[in-house]
Amino acid sequence: MSAADCIFCKIAARELPAQIVYEDADTLAFLDINPVNPGHTLVIPKKHSADVFEIDDADWIAVMRTSRIVAHALEKALKTDGINLGMNNRAGAGQVVFHAHVHVMPRFKGDPHSLWPGKPYAEGEFAATGEKIRGALN
Ligand code: 5GP
Ligand code: ZN
């Protein structure tokens, strides 16, 4: 995938403004412009990859490491009651910006956000689904 018109590549290259809160050799963390709560931060690999399927192991580990560093900083700076980590991968999961990024989202008691609703498995579906996934991993 071309990174030429990727907005997060442009932020990493300092060609677009961003409220950068942390960076290291391989990753950058900056505030999301449309936060679920103030402090909502996006963590990206500096090297372009589209999503969890495309990112290489080294960048994935680096992004996870930075996400945790940011989580600690949000808790300390904003006195959060909790932190959600999230990642949308492919349009079918709601991804809008196709440069891999992890959302680090501050949460506060009583805020209006909630976890996704769960739904029960149909008869036999629980074991069959486990079997299908194990099959894909072998
Ligand atoms: P996703 O691809 O994970 O569904 O959503 C992309 C996220 O990037 C959204 O939460 C959106 O608010 C954020 N976003 C989109 N464009 C920009 C931008 O130009 N700068 C920043 N800081 N965040 C952006
Ligand atoms: Zn990019």
Side-chain angles (χ1 to χ4, degrees):
M1 181 187 175
S2 164
D5 54 1
C6 170
I7 55 172
F8 288 178
C9 280
K10 289 193 170 122
I11 286 174
R14 308 306 208 264
E15 290 165 11
L16 282 177
Q19 195 57 235
I20 293 169
V21 295
Y22 178 86
E23 84 173 301
D24 61 20
D26 302 312
T27 68
L28 190 71
F30 53 94
L31 297 185
D32 191 304
I33 44 166
N34 190 28
V36 298
N37 278 316
H40 179 163
T41 298
L42 302 176
V43 178
I44 64 166
K46 288 181 173 176
K47 184 177 77 189
H48 183 88
S49 58
D51 52 33
V52 74
F53 300 106
E54 202 175 284
I55 192 169
D56 65 33
D57 279 356
D59 272 352
W60 177 247
I61 289 163
V63 165
M64 286 299 111
R65 179 177 181 276
T66 297
S67 297
R68 190 161 63 160
I69 288 169
V70 169
H72 279 294
L74 295 182
E75 182 171 74
K76 189 173 170 187
L78 305 176
K79 311 286 180 250
T80 57
D81 293 314
I83 302 276
N84 287 130
L85 295 186
M87 186 179 194
N88 302 323
N89 296 284
R90 303 207 201 277
Q95 188 175 5
V96 174
V97 177
F98 293 92
H99 180 129
H101 55 280
V102 167
H103 295 255
V104 187
M105 295 169 281
R107 298 296 305 275
F108 300 93
K109 279 189 192 112
D111 74 27
H113 310 293
S114 58
L115 292 178
W116 48 86
K119 55 184 177 190
Y121 281 103
E123 181 75 31
E125 193 187 12
F126 191 51
T129 302
E131 189 56 37
K132 215 184 275 185
I133 296 167
R134 282 190 292 277
L137 287 165
N138 292 329

